[in-house]
Amino acid sequence: MKVTVKKKENAIPVVIGTEFIKLEAALKFANAVESGGMAKTVIQNGDVLVNGEVCTMRGKKLYPGDSFAFNGDKYLISIHAAQ
């Protein structure tokens, strides 16, 4: 099973080969932040929404159907069938 992280509008797919992805890793993988340190900071500052609510847990597991938003961009975790 592959998981894709993409913006809801004008999506940029980020394909990973895992069942879930942690919030900090999703931000880095989607190129929303430049580094893990930056991801940690923006999450701890309350600048990231998960499923519409502020999330300050950088290890929060995101599963298909979950969404996160940062800096005006919205991303959706989704599954793509292996080909």
Side-chain angles (χ1 to χ4, degrees):
M1 169 179 8
K2 291 187 179 186
V3 178
T4 299
V5 179
K6 57 183 172 179
K7 290 196 255 182
K8 286 186 177 180
E9 298 167 5
N10 299 321
I12 300 171
V14 181
V15 180
I16 62 174
T18 59
E19 181 179 343
F20 65 86
I21 187 169
K22 292 184 179 180
L23 178 57
E24 181 179 35
L27 283 166
K28 291 188 307 185
F29 212 53
N31 292 319
V33 295
E34 294 179 10
S35 67
M38 186 178 195
K40 177 181 176 180
T41 301
V42 299
I43 293 168
Q44 288 179 339
N45 288 343
D47 296 334
V48 180
L49 301 177
V50 173
N51 297 326
E53 297 182 9
V54 173
C55 181
T56 57
M57 299 182 304
R58 67 181 209 239
K60 171 80 174 161
K61 292 179 181 177
L62 303 177
Y63 293 91
D66 287 336
S67 63
F68 68 96
F70 171 68
N71 206 21
D73 292 323
K74 294 179 182 178
Y75 301 85
L76 177 67
I77 308 297
S78 62
I79 297 176
H80 281 283
Q83 295 179 356

